[in-house]
Amino acid sequence: MEKIEYTDEGQFFSGHVACAGCVEALSMRVILNTLGKDTVGVVAPSCSAVILGGHPMSAAKIPVLHGTLESAAASASGVKRALKAQGRDDTTVLCLAGDGGTYDIGLQALSSAAERNEDILYVCFDNEGYMNTGGQKSSSTPRNAATGSTPFGKTTRKKNLIEILAAHRIPYIATVSPSHLNDMAAKIAKAQTIEGTKVVIVLIPCLPGWGVADNDAVATARLGVESGVFPLFEIEDGVRYTMTKSDKSDAINGYLKKQKRYRHLTEADRADLQAEVDETWSRLLAQAETTV
Amino acid sequence: MNAPAFADDMQLLNGNHAVAWGVRLAGPDVAPLYPITPQTPILEKLIEFQSSGAFQAELLTPESEHSAMAAAIAASATGARVFTATSSQGLLLMHELLHFASGARTPIVMFNVNRTPASPWGFWPDQIDSLSQRDTGWVQLYSENPQDSLDSVIQAFRIAEATNLPVMINHDAFYVSHSVEPVSLPSPEAVTDFLPRQARDIQLGDGSGRSLGAPIDQASWNRTRRDLDEAMKTVEQFAIDASQVWEKQTGRASAPLEFYRYHDAEIVFVTMGSMCGTAREAIDRLRTSGIKAGLLKVRLFRPLPNEALRDALRGAQHAIVLDRNYSPGTGGVLHQELRSVLFGTQDPPRLHGYLAGVGGLSVPEERLEALATEVRDTVPAANSLWLE
Ligand SMILES: Cc1ncc(C[n+]2csc(CCOP(=O)(O)OP(=O)(O)O)c2C)c(N)n1
Ligand code: SF4
Ligand SMILES: [Mg+2]
């Protein structure tokens, strides 16, 4: 078990309205404290906006602009450029959005910000569905997962957003998990020092959305990482891949069993998912190995 | 408007380039821009100014007008002065964010070139694109010619920053956007005097840690709309003040309502944008044949100067509303608005609504001249009529 070594600078307050046991709130706490107070946030409608919360209260010490669902990256670009024009180029501009706001409706704005290499840190809380609206599928929902709009399981695979982003050759992309908080803090700190568009994707096992027990989100995230369903890695300039963990356990069964959204799976479905994970994992390893 | 003599401070500019000059002089900090015919010359001119070092704004060229407006709102929320420009499809794509901008009280100035919305595709002057955005909380001004457009841009920043409301200025595709006229350029000093930089009450990242736009309860949301209403009520006076100060500096007034040969007019044309020019010609002809005609130009459409319109229309016998727009199921938008303005007043003029030049059709002054005579013996129809 690792000791979590980060200093809480009081950038994230208790009393917020996340579901009890939500690891998105935990991740937000680590991210906000790592970035520190010279940060301005933009948040898209999503659980993170709800967690940051109701006016006039805010769970964040930094100021946050609550923007529209599809334009988080554009709004963050606007904040960054305006601060620059006013001589405040050092301020970090943090963009928070869910997977719906990133993989789906906000992809156009994100792609454009990435193409312009806007100097923003974009964090996507990937809970693999539209949880704020009650748990419908997004293009980040994995194959076979049941959601409100895919009651018998989604028939298509999860969109590989990371490869799409890598194709933009932005300076930094990373995946992080609330089961590995030191790694999360380190990657966020690293991203903050890099100029240009940085995207960090956070795995968020969602308690009601995935059917995970209230005390089990961290363990579920850990199994996701260890089984290779959600590999931890970094991509620099779209081409240099570095695996944070370059081994994985064979079985995704333990991960699947924690989640009610997969309880209808047959043996064959599980095998299909396992094959998909294995294939993605070996492609990733190969990419990391060719990186010099 | 008399043709201005060609003085030293004048350049031959089309409407869009006059806008770009106005923007250059107003000096926004950030300008997100996306091209669309017939707005593109505004974008091109601003980029040309920037390349030559004469214009220092942070230019953003995102993938859509939707993102352009999102960036404009966010930039404005930090206290920056922000400009953007669009037309038709672009304005309509922004719709969600137009409500957002006024709700967030961001004093953005946007220039919209009025153009027919698809389908079918067309690139012609028609004001339904901006008129259909009348409920989004933007101040709306309609300009008649390139000089009016330049003056309006500069005045718009002053009105926006005084009220914390976004301002949209409109001029007609091609008739104004691409027509070249002599335009008088104010000096940079005059514009700086006219537009002093002021810190706003709430600015994102002002050190207070305040967030903007977070979810609120019903009563607080209701409060925001009452605040918006209060702010809207102050716009007309700020626009009058802006016009008066501008007139002192430049000799040119551009008030919320403008009049031409109006004081004794019995038959008045009421319209917006480039149609005013045609109406002026028609009025001159009518006056020559002894008919007392005049023009009421509505320059400020949102908020509509209700009382001033009532006062202005009190003495007229016939008011002919010329709408270069068509709201399906309603008719002409200005006609509809004026009906509500006049409803319940004593002895209102007979209000004749005409859909004139919808889709960019040319409306000859002779047609308006004939119309003025036709309406004298006509009981106005309840609905707007297509001008044949
Ligand atoms: C244009 C628009 N369409 C729909 C919505 C409704 N809406 C709010 S949040 C949301 C889903 C967000 O999903 P995601 O980004 O994954 O965030 P999560 O709730 O899962 O944290 C939707 C559809 C909206 N706010 N704006
Ligand atoms: S719905 Fe899921 S992601 Fe949202 S607050 Fe609850 S547990 Fe967290
Ligand atoms: Mg989600």
Side-chain angles (χ1 to χ4, degrees):
Chain A
M1 192 159 291
E2 72 178 335
K3 184 162 172 270
I4 303 164
E5 297 172 50
Y6 86 103
T7 25
D8 194 312
E9 311 240 356
Q11 294 296 312
F12 185 70
F13 303 116
S14 57
H16 55 74
V17 294
C19 304
C22 173
V23 286
E24 186 158 317
L26 175 64
S27 306
M28 215 181 278
R29 183 169 141 197
V30 170
I31 292 165
L32 291 174
N33 279 298
T34 304
L35 293 175
K37 58 179 190 296
D38 193 11
T39 305
V40 174
V42 169
V43 68
S46 59
C47 283
S48 45
V50 176
I51 295 169
L52 285 171
H55 179 86
M57 315 291 263
S58 175
K61 203 162 184 184
I62 60 162
V64 179
L65 174 69
H66 289 248
T68 57
L69 185 54
E70 60 290 339
S71 50
S75 305
S77 311
V79 171
K80 184 67 199 183
R81 298 296 200 93
L83 292 177
K84 187 172 172 214
Q86 296 170 91
R88 295 179 50 199
D89 209 10
D90 290 344
T91 303
T92 299
V93 176
L94 168 70
C95 189
L96 301 173
D99 49 287
T102 304
Y103 288 67
D104 288 342
I105 196 167
L107 182 58
Q108 174 174 319
L110 175 58
S111 169
S112 176
E115 179 273 328
R116 300 191 308 275
N117 202 23
E118 296 283 351
D119 190 15
I120 58 173
L121 170 52
Y122 190 107
V123 173
C124 169
F125 292 116
D126 191 352
N127 55 19
E128 302 189 328
Y130 298 174
M131 299 317 176
N132 196 31
T133 44
Q136 299 80 27
K137 74 124 207 183
S138 76
S139 60
S140 167
T141 304
R143 187 196 299 281
N144 287 336
T147 70
S149 48
T150 57
F152 306 110
K154 187 172 169 250
T155 53
T156 52
R157 56 190 295 168
K158 178 180 168 110
K159 184 187 284 181
N160 193 330
L161 178 72
I162 297 173
E163 282 186 6
I164 295 172
L165 289 168
H168 289 72
R169 303 286 174 97
I170 52 175
Y172 190 70
I173 303 165
T175 57
V176 301
S177 162
S179 54
H180 296 70
L181 292 175
N182 288 335
D183 177 57
M184 181 185 295
K187 285 173 177 164
I188 291 288
K190 179 172 175 179
Q192 193 177 23
T193 65
I194 298 170
E195 204 178 313
T197 307
K198 292 82 60 177
V199 181
V200 175
I201 303 206
V202 192
L203 176 68
I204 303 292
C206 171
L207 309 170
W210 293 16
V212 167
D214 288 1
N215 59 355
D216 232 4
V218 174
T220 305
R222 185 174 300 284
L223 285 171
V225 170
E226 287 175 352
S227 63
V229 172
F230 191 84
L232 297 184
F233 61 107
E234 297 168 280
I235 309 174
E236 281 159 291
D237 300 320
V239 288
R240 291 196 308 284
Y241 284 63
T242 311
M243 300 301 293
T244 309
K245 272 178 62 61
S246 46
D247 56 336
K248 75 171 182 75
S249 66
D250 289 341
I252 61 167
N253 272 345
Y255 174 71
L256 299 180
K257 271 200 197 119
K258 293 243 181 232
Q259 309 171 40
K260 293 206 180 98
R261 63 176 175 159
Y262 288 124
R263 71 177 156 193
H264 60 287
L265 297 202
T266 62
E267 258 330 300
D269 293 337
R270 280 196 203 94
D272 278 353
L273 277 181
Q274 182 71 60
E276 203 175 292
V277 167
D278 291 346
E279 182 248 354
T280 311
W281 177 263
S282 39
R283 271 164 45 92
L284 199 57
L285 275 194
Q287 267 158 320
E289 273 158 23
T290 54
T291 298
V292 260
Chain B
M1 202 168 278
N2 296 325
F6 207 86
D8 282 352
D9 62 349
M10 285 198 162
Q11 284 201 18
L12 275 177
L13 296 175
N14 68 33
N16 282 347
H17 289 171
V19 170
W21 265 102
V23 175
R24 168 176 160 166
L25 288 162
D29 303 303
V30 181
L33 293 166
Y34 192 85
I36 180 168
T37 304
Q39 173 270 125
T40 312
I42 300 178
L43 174 155
E44 287 171 338
K45 199 73 189 164
L46 287 175
I47 289 177
E48 185 190 311
F49 286 156
Q50 204 211 28
S51 314
S52 73
F55 179 61
Q56 264 92 34
E58 282 287 321
L59 286 184
L60 254 99
T61 49
E63 85 300 341
S64 68
E65 290 90 346
H66 195 282
S67 283
M69 184 47 69
I73 293 167
S76 178
T78 71
R81 184 174 281 175
V82 182
F83 174 81
T84 187
T86 190
S87 175
S88 179
Q89 311 299 126
L91 182 71
L92 300 175
L93 182 63
M94 287 177 182
H95 178 72
E96 176 198 26
L97 289 160
L98 298 184
H99 283 280
F100 204 99
S102 60
R105 303 298 297 273
T106 46
I108 299 162
V109 170
M110 169 160 65
F111 211 98
N112 177 63
V113 183
N114 287 123
R115 164 188 147 182
T116 47
S119 166
W121 288 99
F123 310 89
W124 322 126
D126 189 301
Q127 296 168 345
I128 197 62
D129 57 352
S130 54
L131 290 173
S132 68
Q133 307 306 307
R134 64 183 152 163
D135 299 328
T136 57
W138 283 64
V139 174
Q140 286 199 12
L141 293 166
Y142 287 80
S143 151
E144 180 181 351
N145 54 45
Q147 182 74 63
D148 195 359
S149 297
L150 179 141
D151 291 342
S152 297
V153 166
I154 294 166
Q155 292 182 21
F157 278 104
R158 185 166 161 131
I159 299 167
E161 288 168 15
T163 57
N164 282 333
L165 289 170
V167 180
M168 179 194 308
I169 315 130
N170 302 276
H171 65 200
D172 288 325
F174 302 109
Y175 288 149
V176 182
S177 69
H178 286 62
S179 301
V180 176
E181 288 184 14
V183 174
S184 162
L185 296 179
S187 71
E189 298 72 37
V191 178
T192 313
D193 276 1
F194 185 76
L195 291 178
R197 296 270 174 175
Q198 282 151 340
R200 293 209 295 277
D201 268 4
I202 301 183
Q203 292 178 190
L204 189 73
D206 59 6
S208 68
R210 274 180 297 197
S211 290
L212 290 181
I216 53 178
D217 61 29
Q218 298 93 319
S220 311
W221 202 92
N222 182 281
R223 184 72 249 161
T224 65
R225 266 43 193 177
R226 286 167 189 246
D227 291 347
L228 211 50
D229 190 30
E230 291 305 313
M232 274 287 171
K233 284 179 186 148
T234 67
V235 169
E236 189 180 341
Q237 192 54 50
F238 278 115
I240 292 170
D241 294 347
S243 167
Q244 285 170 350
V245 177
W246 193 242
E247 189 177 7
K248 276 204 197 97
Q249 287 186 341
T250 65
R252 288 187 306 276
S254 26
L257 300 178
E258 289 180 4
F259 304 95
Y260 180 67
R261 305 188 82 162
Y262 198 81
H263 73 282
D264 63 343
E266 291 165 0
I267 301 179
V268 300
F269 290 98
V270 191
T271 191
M272 306 197 289
S274 64
M275 189 68 79
C276 295
T278 317
R280 289 175 202 272
E281 303 287 337
I283 289 161
D284 288 347
R285 287 163 171 263
L286 287 159
R287 287 275 176 176
T288 315
S289 35
I291 297 171
K292 289 181 178 167
L295 168 69
L296 167 50
K297 163 176 163 181
V298 179
R299 190 169 155 275
L300 177 65
F301 174 76
R302 271 294 177 275
L304 198 65
N306 293 310
E307 288 299 332
L309 280 168
R310 282 186 170 190
D311 288 347
L313 289 168
R314 193 157 284 138
Q317 290 169 13
H318 294 274
I320 303 173
V321 189
L322 301 172
D323 269 295
R324 194 189 281 284
N325 68 81
Y326 167 61
S327 164
T330 296
V333 172
L334 188 59
H335 183 207
Q336 181 196 28
E337 298 270 344
L338 288 177
R339 272 184 300 200
S340 357
V341 164
L342 292 174
F343 185 79
T345 56
Q346 270 197 335
D347 300 326
R350 290 188 156 193
L351 193 67
H352 309 265
Y354 286 93
L355 302 166
V358 171
L361 286 184
S362 169
V363 179
E365 59 236 34
E366 295 83 359
R367 183 66 196 94
L368 297 187
E369 189 187 357
L371 186 62
T373 343
E374 285 161 34
V375 298
R376 287 201 290 189
D377 315 310
T378 323
V379 177
N383 51 312
S384 318
L385 302 175
W386 292 90
L387 185 69
E388 304 301 345

